[in-house]
Amino acid sequence: MNAPHSPRWIVVGIDGSDAAINAAKWAVAEATSRDIPLRLVYTIPERKADDSRLDVECGEAALRAACAALHATTTEVKLETDLVHGSPTDALVEESRHAAMVCVGSVGIGQIARKIIGSTAEGVAENAQCPVAIVRANRDAGESLSGSIAVVVDDSPQNDSVLEHGFREARLRSAPILAMGTWRWGFGEIPYRQLDRRLRRWVTQYPEVHVRPAAARHGAAEYLIGTQEPVELAVVDRWYSDKVARMVGPLTPRFGHTGCSVLVVR
């Protein structure tokens, strides 16, 4: 179940990093397609007064920089900004109650911040009340990407929500669907019958989206880690939230694995 009220905005966690600004750029299409604002949120930890004033100044500077980066793009979007107190995870989970989506960058500033942002992304993905996008840091949202939208296809009760969001993203970003069938099957074979049955409704509803089947017999995360074909975004349910870091991949690709952004759907 999504937010208890009509979604008010798309929320982006801002922390002063390029990764956060990249996530905000990626989120522009989400906000404009729904005709709702893009809400940029900077989290201030609870500290003593002197430290808090410095945190506010840093937060205001980070929000100004993010707004300037978005204004420099060619797409007009409604913007809102806010400074909130607390831990980044708790603040973004609270924001998710009234959001259509929460977006975060995959890394922050420096080694310590990267660990914090990583745990934040995982915590938000597990506990948010709306979909959560973890946007791969070294992807520039202004570039034209040719990768697929990889979508988990199975018989679980939550899979319809995953397929709905996957096909919507494919149409929004003019990308094909890579339908990852996760049924156990013969070695290297694709479970066409099951895929056809599960996808029929969505193929009919989104006739402009090209769909290509793939056998992910060892699981979606393992398939994405092993494939060398370009994937722009993976759409999974929250049971994959502990595998997000592996799907996003390292900043320096190894063994052909370039990683992708991940959308975790409730």
Side-chain angles (χ1 to χ4, degrees):
M1 183 176 179
N2 286 341
H5 305 288
S6 297
R8 299 177 184 174
W9 41 55
I10 302 292
V11 172
V12 182
I14 299 297
D15 65 351
S17 68
D18 291 339
I21 291 177
N22 183 54
K25 291 179 179 179
W26 184 92
V28 166
E30 303 294 337
T32 56
S33 67
R34 294 171 172 84
D35 194 26
I36 56 178
L38 193 61
R39 176 173 165 82
L40 309 181
V41 175
Y42 185 97
T43 305
I44 299 175
E46 300 289 354
R47 296 179 181 175
K48 58 186 180 182
D50 291 343
D51 292 336
S52 181
R53 283 197 294 271
L54 180 59
D55 287 332
V56 169
E57 292 176 2
C58 290
E60 290 174 342
L63 291 171
R64 284 195 300 270
C67 287
L70 293 176
H71 286 312
T73 66
T74 58
T75 304
E76 293 186 5
V77 62
K78 305 171 189 175
L79 286 179
E80 297 182 7
T81 62
D82 200 4
L83 298 172
V84 298
H85 290 80
S87 75
T89 299
D90 291 344
L92 292 176
V93 169
E94 177 62 24
E95 290 284 334
S96 75
R97 296 178 61 247
H98 302 289
M101 184 180 293
V102 172
C103 304
V104 295
S106 62
V107 297
I109 300 173
Q111 293 299 323
I112 295 177
R114 287 178 184 177
K115 293 179 181 178
I116 295 173
I117 292 299
S119 62
T120 297
E122 183 174 340
V124 175
E126 289 179 351
N127 299 293
Q129 297 185 41
C130 69
V132 177
I134 298 91
V135 182
R136 184 171 163 81
N138 63 342
R139 293 274 177 89
D140 185 345
E143 295 179 357
S144 176
L145 300 175
S146 57
S148 300
I149 307 298
V151 182
V152 171
V153 186
D154 58 33
D155 282 324
S156 64
Q158 63 268 25
N159 193 234
D160 273 336
S161 183
V162 172
L163 293 175
E164 179 181 6
H165 281 85
F167 274 82
R168 186 184 186 281
E169 291 295 328
R171 181 171 64 185
L172 178 63
R173 302 180 186 280
S174 300
I177 285 280
L178 181 65
M180 299 182 293
T182 58
W183 292 274
R184 294 285 181 178
W185 205 250
F187 181 78
E189 294 181 3
I190 297 174
Y192 288 106
R193 183 178 301 175
Q194 289 93 330
L195 279 171
D196 180 68
R197 174 175 52 82
R198 291 293 293 119
L199 296 173
R200 189 175 300 123
R201 168 188 172 188
W202 305 104
V203 170
T204 302
Q205 188 172 339
Y206 294 85
E208 71 276 27
V209 175
H210 176 70
V211 178
R212 186 164 59 83
R217 60 194 303 272
H218 296 296
E222 287 70 19
Y223 178 87
L224 290 170
I225 292 166
T227 187
Q228 295 188 25
E229 59 184 283
V231 173
E232 177 178 347
L233 176 71
V235 184
V236 301
D237 63 59
R238 68 186 182 92
W239 303 113
Y240 282 84
S241 57
D242 62 337
K243 298 180 175 64
V244 165
R246 296 176 65 202
M247 289 186 280
V248 170
L251 288 180
T252 303
R254 297 179 181 178
F255 311 115
H257 173 48
T258 58
C260 62
S261 299
V262 179
L263 178 61
V264 181
V265 178
R266 285 188 64 86

